[in-house]
């Protein structure tokens, strides 16, 4: 089996973090986010993977190369302009040999891909869509089905009363070649708005498989933080490194320096320097080569590699991008998302 991962979006909702790093390369506890998807595919026996790229493709290729380090073969297919979620699949048509998984590049899920395929085959479907029930589907694409899972219609971001269904498109599909061939060529095409409605109307062979597996769209700052929390809470099976204190994991196994307090769950990446009196509070994630100064506090925050938190500074409920500096005694505003190389001063207002 093969898979296409859609990784061409600009990740506007994660700006400024995504100004110079594509969303799939955002770090997520030991590997770039897309590494989670590749590992999940590999575990399901999918080793031939096409990355459908558009925005900053070099950053993805520079890290993953031909895929050998993850035990898979990666192909990079580039778009000069965004071709949309179906146009991007069609653009890879020459590499596709048969039924293919399609994964949105921003979904973290524990979905059983093999079970999805078995249901797809039992239904003799042309397209199978993974769905999941949510309490408030108003921000999502809702998938209405008959009993047995045959899809009746798609309702994009429904208004109150527009549909009774609450199963949403969860961003993983299985497509037969016939469904790939049905995608118009040479222009931007949306799979949700154009291809699925067309297949439903013409063939009636689009099915949904609803599961309650772990699932999150990591494309917003709050959900990116939530994904970290969930992994730290053990909701996805993933080794986090060496446990150096209760639920405090270290990427390189370095012990906590004397005089540092750390309350888990938390993750401290390789080559992090924690000064005397630094306090690490629950749900902190401090990536590679960061420095936390004397008496500084990091709590429920995510620090991308190379950040420098000055003495007695406070960083809580925030995301700091690459190489951000927090000046001594500064307090980073809550919910801040600070872009690469910025400086948060002691009198900083929200960036
Ligand atoms: P926002 O700008 O924050 O909405 O993010 P996004 O556009 O990156 O993600 P969105 O949720 O809109 O898209 C779902 C998935 O499809 C993401 O993994 C995107 O990378 C990918 N995607 C969206 N549009 C395109 C496209 O035109 N080409 C390719 N190759 N991938 C796309």
């Amino acid at each position: 089996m093969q898979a296409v991962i859609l990784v061409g979006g600009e990740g506007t909702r994660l700006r400024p973090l995504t100004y110079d790093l594509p969303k799939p390369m955002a770090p997520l506890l030991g590997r770039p986010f897309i590494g989670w998807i590749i590992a999940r595919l590999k575990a399901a026996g999918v080793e031939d993977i096409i990355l459908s790229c558009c925005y900053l493709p070099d950053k993805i290729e520079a890290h993953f190369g031909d895929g050998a380090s993850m035990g898979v073969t990666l192909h990079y297919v580039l778009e000069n302009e965004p071709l949309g979620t179906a146009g991007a699949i069609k653009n890879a048509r020459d590499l596709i040999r048969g039924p293919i998984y399609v994964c949105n590049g921003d979904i973290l899920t524990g979905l059983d891909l093999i079970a999805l395929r078995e249901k797809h085959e039992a239904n003799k479907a042309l397209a199978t869509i993974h769905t999941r029930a949510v309490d408030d589907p108003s921000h999502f694409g809702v998938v209405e089905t008959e009993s047995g899972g045959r899809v009746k219609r798609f309702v994009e971001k429904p208004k109150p009363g527009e549909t009774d269904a609450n199963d949403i498109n969860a961003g993983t599909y299985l497509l037969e070649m016939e469904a790939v061939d049905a995608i118009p060529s040479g222009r931007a095409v949306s799979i949700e708005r154009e291809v699925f409605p067309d297949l439903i109307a013409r063939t009636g062979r689009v099915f949904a498989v609803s599961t309650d597996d772990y699932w999150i769209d990591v494309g917003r700052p709050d959900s990116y933080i939530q994904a970290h929390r969930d992994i730290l809470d053990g909701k996805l099976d993933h080794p986090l490194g060496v446990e150096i204190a209760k639920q405090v994991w270290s990427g390189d196994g370095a012990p906590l320096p004397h005089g540092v307090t750390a309350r888990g769950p938390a993750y401290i990446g390789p080559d992090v320097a924690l000064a005397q009196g630094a306090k690490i509070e629950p749900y902190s994630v401090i990536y590679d080569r960061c420095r936390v100064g004397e008496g500084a506090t990091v709590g429920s925050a995510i620090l991308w590699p190379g950040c420098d938190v000055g003495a007695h500074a406070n960083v809580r409920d925030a995301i700091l991008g690459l190489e951000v500096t927090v000046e001594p005694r500064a307090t980073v505003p809550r919910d801040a998302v600070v872009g690469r190389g910025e400086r948060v001063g002691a009198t900083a207002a929200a960036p």
Side-chain angles (χ1 to χ4, degrees):
M1 278 289 281
Q2 294 177 286
V4 179
I5 311 179
L6 302 174
V7 290
E10 288 191 25
T12 52
R13 290 164 297 165
L14 267 188
R15 286 177 183 164
L17 300 172
T18 46
Y19 277 131
D20 54 6
L21 194 73
K23 181 167 59 176
M25 292 305 295
L28 188 58
L29 290 161
R31 48 166 76 134
F33 175 67
I34 195 188
W36 286 82
I37 302 177
I38 295 170
R40 181 167 64 93
L41 288 165
K42 160 99 177 136
V46 182
E47 296 183 353
D48 188 10
I49 299 172
I50 300 161
L51 298 180
S52 214
C53 307
C54 188
Y55 179 68
L56 302 176
D58 299 353
K59 303 254 172 158
I60 304 176
E61 193 163 0
H63 183 92
F64 287 105
D66 62 5
S69 64
M70 295 205 66
V72 298
T73 302
L74 293 179
H75 310 270
Y76 298 83
V77 177
L78 302 186
E79 291 152 51
N80 295 328
E81 293 174 12
L83 286 173
T85 44
I89 302 167
K90 186 64 177 233
N91 195 41
R93 172 66 181 81
D94 289 349
L95 292 170
I96 301 175
R97 294 189 304 274
I100 189 157
Y101 289 105
V102 177
C103 302
N104 275 3
D106 49 7
I107 300 296
L108 181 63
T109 173
L111 169 69
D112 181 342
L113 288 162
I114 294 170
L116 187 80
R117 183 177 183 187
E118 285 166 359
K119 293 203 172 111
H120 173 83
E121 288 171 353
N123 288 330
K124 298 193 169 37
L126 283 184
T128 297
I129 303 165
H130 174 224
T131 60
R132 72 186 310 273
V134 296
D135 293 336
D136 175 11
S138 61
H139 299 294
F140 298 96
V142 172
V143 183
E144 284 183 359
T145 55
E146 296 168 4
S147 63
R150 193 183 298 272
V151 178
K152 288 194 296 190
R153 77 171 175 143
F154 257 76
V155 192
E156 196 60 31
K157 302 198 173 68
K159 298 186 182 59
E162 205 179 340
T163 176
D164 291 337
N166 63 349
D167 269 337
I168 60 154
N169 172 7
T172 305
Y173 319 117
L174 226 170
L175 302 182
E176 290 295 315
M177 209 55 163
E178 201 179 325
V180 176
D181 285 338
I183 302 169
S185 305
R187 65 173 173 88
V189 185
S190 156
I191 199 160
E192 306 89 337
R193 293 171 196 274
E194 196 170 336
V195 177
F196 287 144
D198 167 64
L199 287 175
I200 293 163
R202 278 194 306 110
T203 72
R205 287 172 61 199
V206 178
F207 286 76
V209 173
S210 184
T211 75
D212 57 5
D213 299 300
Y214 179 80
W215 182 91
I216 195 165
D217 169 352
V218 295
R220 301 186 315 268
D222 62 333
S223 59
Y224 178 62
I225 291 176
Q226 188 63 45
H228 281 83
R229 296 178 80 110
D230 291 343
I231 296 168
L232 289 171
D233 280 337
K235 292 189 185 168
L236 276 166
D237 188 22
H238 178 59
L240 288 169
V242 182
E243 195 170 1
I244 51 171
K246 189 164 181 279
Q247 287 195 299
V248 178
W249 289 277
S250 161
D252 60 5
L256 278 177
H258 185 68
V260 170
T261 325
R263 283 192 297 130
Y267 172 83
I268 300 164
D271 300 319
V272 167
L274 303 173
Q276 170 89 14
K279 287 188 274 310
I280 311 301
E281 296 178 347
Y283 298 110
S284 297
V285 173
I286 304 175
Y287 284 118
D288 319 24
R289 301 180 312 282
C290 286
R291 192 189 144 273
V292 180
E294 195 181 318
T297 302
V298 176
S300 185
I302 297 171
L303 278 54
W304 279 20
C307 287
D308 188 349
V309 178
H312 305 286
N314 290 292
V315 189
R316 286 197 177 89
D317 299 304
I319 307 174
L320 306 187
L322 290 172
E323 292 156 10
V324 167
T325 301
V326 181
E327 290 183 356
R329 300 194 184 279
T331 295
V332 176
R334 271 178 201 261
D335 300 327
V337 182
V338 185
R340 178 182 194 148
E342 285 185 37
R343 231 183 149 79
V344 182
T347 54

